[in-house]
């Protein structure tokens, strides 16, 4: 973590929690973090299921904790049954949107091309995109991690002017570390984040790369958050399992 970049700690609640459960967790989280120092120095956000977005936003409004969507469609509106647009996320109070999460790529056939369309849609709104990239275990074992991540970045950013990417947030989430209890070591994560930052410097500019927050995701817990965040290139965390419980997520937010 560098002092010039404000860390972001994001909760990804995936397909968990009914509206009342989500509201309850948000109330608890707000009580735990309210008035503490963490919300001054860190950006904190929660990405609930679409059904709970409005309720969670209502609970958290004024607390400094933001809300984000887990996915969206690239069109503004239309006959796209089951989909949600960037405007609808904004309407529910969202400030951020996750894009290209590996579960979307793996189970819902998202490609770099569709992720790129979503990124362009988000960039035309006030939403802040959190672009997820990461290699699978077999890709890492065959020495292709770097190539895969760079391919995902160039695919997602295709056709986007560097000048429009000022607010981009990237999340490095190695697929083999998501929900498995296997965290990338801080050394591995920091090294990959460095590669992402160098790629952004070549593609955009050194200033843009130096200002871009790169989050780590994959089995982040209270016990490993501090060590991960101590690394120069790790600017926050995207937390799945350990974010479902307000106490555990608040301890990650308050990492030392
Ligand atoms: P995890 O999930 O923390 O449960 O590994 C992270 C994510 O998928 O965003």
């Amino acid at each position: 973590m560098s002092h010039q970049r404000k860390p972001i700690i994001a909760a990804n609640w995936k397909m968990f929690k009914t509206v009342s459960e989500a509201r309850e967790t948000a109330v608890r989280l707000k009580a735990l973090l309210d008035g503490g120092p963490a919300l001054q120095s860190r950006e904190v956000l929660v990405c609930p299921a679409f059904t709970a977005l409005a309720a969670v936003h209502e609970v958290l409004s004024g607390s400094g904790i933001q809300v984000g969507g887990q996915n969206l469609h690239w069109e503004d509106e239309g006959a796209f049954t089951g989909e949600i647009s960037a405007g609808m996320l904004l309407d529910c109070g969202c400030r951020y949107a996750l894009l290209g999460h590996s579960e979307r790529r793996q189970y819902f056939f998202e490609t770099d091309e569709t992720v790129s369309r979503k990124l362009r849609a988000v960039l035309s709104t006030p939403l802040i995109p959190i672009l997820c990239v990461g290699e699978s275990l077999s890709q890492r074992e065959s020495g292709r991690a770097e190539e895969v991540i760079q391919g995902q970045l160039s695919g997602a950013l295709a056709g986007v002017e560097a000048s429009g990417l000022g607010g981009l947030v990237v999340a490095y989430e190695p697929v083999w570390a998501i929900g498995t209890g296997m965290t990338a070591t801080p050394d591995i994560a920091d090294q990959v984040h460095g590669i992402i930052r160098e790629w952004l410097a070549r593609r955009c500019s050194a200033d843009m790369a130096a200002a871009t927050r790169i989050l780590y995701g994959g089995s982040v817990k209270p016990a490993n958050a501090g060590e991960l965040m101590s690394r120069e290139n790790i600017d926050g965390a995207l937390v799945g399992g350990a974010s479902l419980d307000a106490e555990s997520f608040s301890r990650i937010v308050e990492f030392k």
Side-chain angles (χ1 to χ4, degrees):
M1 193 176 87
S2 147
H3 290 298
Q4 65 179 139
R5 296 183 291 268
K6 191 171 184 180
I8 300 177
I9 312 294
N12 174 9
W13 286 352
K14 307 192 179 186
M15 199 174 75
F16 290 100
K17 297 187 188 293
T18 61
V19 176
S20 62
E21 289 164 350
R23 194 184 280 121
E24 231 170 80
T25 310
V27 166
R28 184 90 191 104
L29 186 63
K30 183 175 160 178
L32 286 163
L33 295 176
D34 219 14
L39 288 178
Q40 310 301 318
S41 56
R42 288 148 206 196
E43 278 174 47
V44 179
L45 78 130
V46 175
C47 303
F50 292 143
T51 48
L53 275 176
V56 169
H57 172 66
E58 193 189 341
V59 169
L60 296 178
S61 73
S63 69
I65 305 170
Q66 305 287 342
V67 174
Q70 298 176 13
N71 179 36
L72 76 162
H73 192 269
W74 55 85
E75 293 291 345
D76 293 341
E77 60 179 11
F80 300 105
T81 302
E83 295 293 324
I84 296 246
S85 70
M88 291 169 181
L89 292 182
L90 282 165
D91 189 41
C92 289
C94 288
R95 180 95 203 278
Y96 293 84
L98 302 182
L99 298 174
H101 189 282
S102 64
E103 287 152 16
R104 302 284 330 157
R105 296 178 192 258
Q106 197 178 342
Y107 306 128
F108 304 102
F109 316 110
E110 285 201 13
T111 61
D112 290 332
E113 146 95 55
T114 56
V115 174
S116 174
R117 287 191 190 195
K118 293 176 185 204
L119 177 64
R120 279 174 276 156
V122 167
L123 290 171
S124 69
T125 74
L127 284 172
I128 300 169
I130 302 182
L131 170 65
C132 304
V133 297
E135 80 286 1
S136 66
L137 186 58
S138 65
Q139 289 165 335
R140 169 154 290 271
E141 285 175 344
S142 60
R144 292 175 47 233
E146 193 170 325
E147 173 197 327
V148 167
I149 293 159
Q150 292 182 344
Q152 289 171 340
L153 288 168
S154 66
L157 270 57
V160 182
E161 296 276 335
S163 59
L165 286 165
L168 180 73
V169 177
V170 178
Y172 168 55
E173 298 208 307
V175 177
W176 47 271
I178 296 179
T180 58
M182 274 169 68
T183 320
T185 62
D187 285 343
I188 293 180
D190 194 50
Q191 187 224 0
V192 174
H193 286 217
I195 290 168
I196 294 172
R197 207 176 297 288
E198 280 163 23
W199 188 92
L200 291 171
R202 286 195 302 276
R203 169 66 169 73
C204 300
S205 69
D207 285 352
M208 180 276 184
T212 299
R213 271 84 58 91
I214 305 176
L215 318 184
Y216 169 76
S219 298
V220 175
K221 309 180 259 300
N224 60 22
E227 205 196 340
L228 285 160
M229 295 315 136
S230 70
R231 299 304 164 111
E232 169 70 19
N233 278 307
I234 305 182
D235 310 310
L238 180 51
V239 190
S243 76
L244 294 170
D245 176 73
E247 274 74 18
S248 134
F249 184 60
S250 72
R251 281 164 57 212
I252 295 172
V253 169
E254 289 170 329
F255 72 83
K256 300 247 173 16

